[in-house]
Amino acid sequence: MTQMPNRRILTFPAVHPCKCVSPTTLLDALIALARTISGHRLSAFSAHRRHARETIREVRIILVFLEEIRNCGPDLPESAMLCFAELYVALEKISYLLEDCTRKGARLWILMQSERVTNGFRILIRMVATALDVLPLASMDLPLEVREMVELVAKQAWKVEVSTDLSDEQAVKDVRAILHSFENRIVPNSIDLRRVLDHLAIRSWKECNEEIKFLEEEIKFENSKEKEGDITLLSSLMGFMSYCRAAIFDDFDSRSSSNEWSDCRNEGCVIDGLNLEDFRCPISLELMIDPVTVSTGQTYDRSSIQKWFKAGNLNCPKTGEKLKNTDLTPNIAVHKLIQKFCYDMGVGATETSNRSGRDLGRSLLAGSPVAAESMRILAVFLVEKLSTGTAEERNKAAYEIRLLSKSSTLNRASIVEAGAILWLLFMLSSSDPSTQENATAALLNLSKYWKGKTVIFESGGLGSIVDVLRNGLKKEARQSAAGTLFYLSSVAEYREEIGKLPWAIPALVELVRNGATRGKKNAVVALFGLMLFAGNHQRALVSGIVPCLVDLLTSERGDLVDDSLGVLAALAENPEGTHAVVMASAIPLVVGILHSSTSRVGKEYCVSVLLSLCINGGTEVVSVLQKLPSLMGSLYLVLTEGPSRASKKANSLLHILHNMRSPGASSKLPQAVRQELLVSCPVS
């Protein structure tokens, strides 16, 4: 059988055997296919059992016939070979159809495609009948009983009535009735939900989760298509299954072996969890080229928000609040992340922003009214469990929120609006490691949503998050707390308040020093966000941040090296930071990375660090740089091939190195020169 690992469900590509294939090879392939089909167990079919049973029975008879022919020898008439070729195509498609009907996680989707599946069985059974009808049985040396069996199969294949099972039809009606309830904001009856789940043999949290993961993949595929497809139905079914997973199955059965549980245990890296959705302008739905923040703390692409103002709008597009002023503050943290994301994905920012916002629009909005309302109902249900449930129910609710908020802005918005954040913050003080971990990870995901940041801050959650960062019961909780601080630091007011907490920056530095890789990653990017407020620099330097970052420059993970360089570049902008970087013997490492790194972001950070060191350190730093032979060539390479910002910085650094070669050069740059360089080529 031809393997099709990337085949879409309910598509039946088939390979027609070559005309020159030998009879023996073709028979062997047919027999292998027939055995595969015959090996299906009826218990694996949650729907379309009657069709599957009849098809498998017929193929088993054909298998006996094929094995008898092979035993009779290789001499077959040419007309028989043509029939066998057609039979091969039919059996291959039958095998695909049966595989789809038993596919892991696809039970609900197969049920809702009953008409399509039934039509597939009808066509394929008729294909088998056609191939058998024209077989020259009389010219084959076969036992009479075998010949009669084949003739009987052909006749039955033509006569059999292929229609959807009544039980499947009723189950489809039940599902549609439940979806209708969701759309009308009516909480469905648990008895109705269980009846559908029992029909599909979905009896555990794990099996329900498998259905959700399958639907997620199908939605991603539909979003990638140019034409409208099944997105509405898929989104509705996703809402249905998500509600069932949280409301019907009370505990994490087999969670220790569940792939989803394992995935969540390994999540928490704020960069790894980012996607284009996080970097789109809320106005244009396109990737932000120049992200700026308005007085409400919301971030937009500069061109989009300026058009908004020119149209006479003086309120925030997201919150609707009246703006105190129309000042636009560059969001350097988001800008750097967008650059890194594009470089890691191998695309340019303009290329990505020019793509249609269709897929993003669907992630910001519900794929269907059913999906929107079911999520709102589910969010209210989960918050009720958080507030009044037992300890185990609260833990499960936090875990469900953690899953639901991982990738969907719609889900995050519904959960925040339902009031989950206050209860999750309360759960951070739990003495149960699992509960604390799930609550912290859920808050990390919700902090990606603009209103989530606001609620966390206004609820006084900063202190609780820092407490978990310092004393979390598990490393996963500590790294999620660091990630949450990163997202909160994207708001100027919040990064200042975080820095004022006595233990916030020292705890992040400690995580950089002794944390696991993901913890280091989250701590470094959180520190990057906090360093955008100059008042936090001294606190970081006192906490010993520079030696920790310099140690990370030897890491095998390029992204961790780039992030560390970004923080060093920010710190080196002031004389105290420059002194700390020089004393940590970082210059040779930075120059080495500039020479060997393939990361454009990393190279730009290297040049930024060296430029700041020269501006603030004068000839002492320049003399060290001039002794490193690889530096000049690396700078010229950046100058000719690098992005425009990196090129400008490299040009400024080369200018300094050349001008300070003379014996009479001042030990420090003249103030006017330093000011000119800082203005014309900002290091940040």
Side-chain angles (χ1 to χ4, degrees):
M1 175 179 169
T2 304
Q3 297 297 316
M4 302 289 291
N6 298 319
R7 181 180 64 87
R8 303 299 310 170
I9 193 167
L10 295 182
T11 60
F12 311 117
V15 177
H16 201 287
C18 178
K19 291 182 180 180
C20 61
V21 68
S22 70
T24 300
T25 301
L26 182 55
L27 275 174
D28 287 344
L30 274 169
I31 290 171
L33 263 177
R35 285 176 177 168
T36 298
I37 294 170
S38 301
H40 279 283
R41 295 177 300 162
L42 283 177
S43 60
F45 293 85
S46 59
H48 309 287
R49 287 192 176 188
R50 182 168 57 86
H51 301 327
R53 182 178 63 249
E54 180 64 24
T55 302
I56 292 170
R57 184 189 66 81
E58 291 184 1
V59 173
R60 284 173 178 168
I61 295 173
I62 293 172
L63 176 59
V64 174
F65 162 65
L66 294 171
E67 290 175 336
E68 188 67 34
I69 290 178
R70 185 169 63 177
N71 293 335
C72 292
D75 294 331
L76 291 172
E78 185 176 347
S79 57
M81 289 291 292
L82 293 174
C83 294
F84 285 155
E86 295 300 323
L87 184 61
Y88 178 89
V89 173
L91 293 187
E92 189 172 21
K93 291 185 176 182
I94 287 173
S95 180
Y96 286 146
L97 182 56
L98 296 178
E99 177 187 304
D100 289 343
C101 288
T102 57
R103 183 177 290 196
K104 185 178 181 180
R107 299 177 190 181
L108 179 59
W109 183 242
I110 287 294
L111 173 69
M112 301 307 292
Q113 297 293 311
S114 286
E115 184 176 343
R116 184 176 171 187
V117 173
T118 298
N119 190 50
F121 274 110
R122 181 185 299 112
I123 292 171
L124 295 176
I125 289 174
R126 300 291 188 263
M127 283 182 67
V128 171
T130 300
L132 295 179
D133 268 351
V134 295
L135 263 176
L137 294 174
S139 62
M140 298 181 186
D141 185 17
L142 296 170
L144 179 61
E145 62 272 17
V146 174
R147 192 180 307 169
E148 289 177 346
M149 279 196 306
V150 174
E151 291 172 345
L152 180 61
V153 167
K155 290 178 182 179
Q156 289 178 339
W158 284 114
K159 292 181 179 180
V160 66
E161 181 182 350
V162 183
S163 58
T164 303
D165 293 351
L166 293 179
S167 60
D168 290 342
E169 286 185 353
Q170 183 57 50
V172 171
K173 291 179 181 178
D174 290 342
V175 172
R176 294 197 181 280
I178 293 169
L179 298 183
H180 184 70
S181 296
F182 278 129
E183 188 170 3
N184 288 280
R185 304 184 179 183
I186 299 172
V187 179
N189 190 309
S190 61
I191 296 176
D192 297 333
L193 295 172
R194 289 187 181 277
R195 185 168 60 250
V196 172
L197 295 174
D198 287 343
H199 180 81
L200 295 172
I202 298 174
R203 301 188 178 93
S204 67
W205 186 97
K206 180 181 178 182
E207 290 176 331
C208 191
N209 191 54
E210 287 171 352
E211 297 288 315
I212 293 171
K213 293 176 76 173
F214 169 81
L215 292 168
E216 284 178 338
E217 290 302 314
E218 290 300 303
I219 289 172
K220 287 180 183 178
F221 174 74
E222 290 297 325
N223 279 334
S224 68
K225 292 163 56 176
E226 291 296 328
K227 296 182 179 179
E228 294 291 331
D230 298 313
I231 192 71
T232 299
L233 178 58
L234 285 165
S235 299
S236 299
L237 297 179
M238 178 90 133
F240 170 87
M241 271 299 164
S242 296
Y243 185 86
C244 288
R245 184 181 68 186
I248 299 298
F249 300 106
D250 296 329
D251 52 23
F252 302 116
D253 47 12
S254 304
R255 75 177 181 182
S256 60
S257 61
S258 167
N259 288 334
E260 185 66 37
W261 179 255
S262 175
D263 289 345
C264 277
R265 290 288 297 272
N266 292 324
E267 74 177 8
C269 183
V270 296
I271 303 300
D272 290 350
L274 292 176
N275 51 50
L276 280 181
E277 174 187 338
D278 301 296
F279 300 138
R280 299 278 192 174
C281 174
I283 299 174
S284 67
L285 295 185
E286 292 185 349
L287 189 69
M288 291 185 283
I289 303 300
D290 185 8
V292 293
T293 302
V294 297
S295 61
T296 58
Q298 309 312 316
T299 299
Y300 305 93
D301 194 46
R302 185 184 296 273
S303 61
S304 297
I305 193 65
Q306 286 177 338
K307 290 178 182 177
W308 176 267
F309 290 154
K310 287 179 181 178
N313 301 301
L314 296 178
N315 59 312
C316 177
K318 262 191 178 181
T319 66
E321 295 179 53
K322 186 174 181 179
L323 295 170
K324 298 176 183 178
N325 52 62
T326 57
D327 295 343
L328 301 176
T329 304
N331 194 324
I332 300 173
V334 172
H335 179 72
K336 294 296 185 185
L337 285 174
I338 292 173
Q339 281 187 315
K340 177 167 177 50
F341 180 85
C342 291
Y343 294 155
D344 289 347
M345 296 297 292
V347 296
T350 54
E351 173 189 348
T352 312
S353 65
N354 288 334
R355 293 176 55 188
S356 169
R358 176 174 173 269
D359 57 335
L360 177 72
R362 284 177 170 164
S363 66
L364 294 173
L365 305 174
S368 71
V370 172
E373 297 305 330
S374 63
M375 189 59 235
R376 292 190 182 100
I377 292 172
L378 177 55
V380 171
F381 171 85
L382 292 171
V383 171
E384 183 179 350
K385 290 296 181 183
L386 289 178
S387 59
T388 64
T390 64
E392 182 61 28
E393 286 173 338
R394 290 198 297 272
N395 185 27
K396 180 179 184 294
Y399 180 57
E400 293 289 348
I401 291 173
R402 175 182 184 173
L403 291 182
L404 291 166
S405 59
K406 277 178 68 174
S407 58
S408 170
T409 301
L410 167 69
N411 292 356
R412 294 171 194 156
S414 299
I415 292 166
V416 170
E417 293 292 341
I421 285 180
L422 193 61
W423 295 105
L424 291 170
L425 288 170
F426 175 76
M427 292 168 65
L428 294 183
S429 60
S430 172
S431 59
D432 175 55
S434 175
T435 299
Q436 186 186 70
E437 177 192 354
N438 287 326
T440 312
L443 287 167
L444 166 60
N445 293 333
L446 295 177
S447 68
K448 299 176 184 178
Y449 177 56
W450 68 269
K451 194 168 185 179
K453 296 182 183 68
T454 303
V455 176
I456 291 173
F457 180 78
E458 294 181 350
S459 300
L462 291 183
S464 299
I465 293 168
V466 172
D467 285 343
V468 175
L469 175 65
R470 292 180 62 206
N471 305 308
L473 300 174
K474 300 174 71 174
K475 66 178 182 181
E476 290 84 3
R478 295 193 292 274
Q479 69 190 27
S480 291
T484 306
L485 292 181
F486 162 73
Y487 284 108
L488 294 173
S489 70
S490 65
V491 180
E493 177 188 356
Y494 302 168
R495 71 175 71 111
E496 182 175 354
E497 293 301 318
I498 292 170
K500 289 179 181 178
L501 295 174
W503 292 106
I505 290 177
L508 287 170
V509 173
E510 178 61 24
L511 191 58
V512 174
R513 183 181 292 115
N514 295 317
T517 301
R518 286 181 181 272
K520 292 177 185 289
K521 174 80 173 178
N522 285 6
V524 171
V525 295
L527 287 164
F528 181 90
L530 295 176
M531 292 308 103
L532 296 176
F533 174 61
N536 289 330
H537 287 206
Q538 187 60 35
R539 300 184 183 102
L541 292 171
V542 171
S543 299
I545 186 175
V546 171
C548 297
L549 294 172
V550 172
D551 287 342
L552 290 182
L553 296 184
T554 59
S555 170
E556 295 181 358
R557 286 195 52 162
D559 57 341
L560 199 51
V561 172
D562 290 351
D563 296 331
S564 301
L565 286 166
V567 181
L568 288 173
L571 291 169
E573 292 177 9
N574 61 70
E576 294 82 2
T578 289
H579 177 74
V581 173
V582 172
M583 294 303 295
S585 302
I587 292 177
L589 286 173
V590 174
V591 173
I593 294 169
L594 176 62
H595 178 69
S596 61
S597 176
T598 58
S599 166
R600 287 180 286 179
V601 170
K603 286 179 178 290
E604 180 176 344
Y605 282 144
C606 286
V607 177
S608 297
V609 171
L610 297 175
L611 180 58
S612 290
L613 295 182
C614 286
I615 291 174
N616 292 316
T619 54
E620 291 87 349
V621 173
V622 172
S623 63
V624 173
L625 293 178
Q626 290 173 340
K627 296 175 183 177
L628 299 173
S630 65
L631 176 60
M632 300 303 285
S634 300
L635 289 176
Y636 280 116
L637 188 61
V638 173
L639 185 64
T640 56
E641 298 182 1
S644 58
R645 285 173 59 90
S647 298
K648 290 178 181 178
K649 294 173 185 177
N651 185 55
S652 297
L653 183 52
L654 285 167
H655 179 71
I656 293 174
L657 293 174
H658 285 303
N659 285 351
M660 297 189 71
R661 281 181 180 274
S662 60
S666 173
S667 62
K668 289 190 176 180
L669 290 176
Q671 180 63 31
V673 176
R674 294 176 63 200
Q675 186 64 33
E676 179 185 351
L677 287 168
L678 287 169
V679 171
S680 64
C681 186
V683 179
S684 59

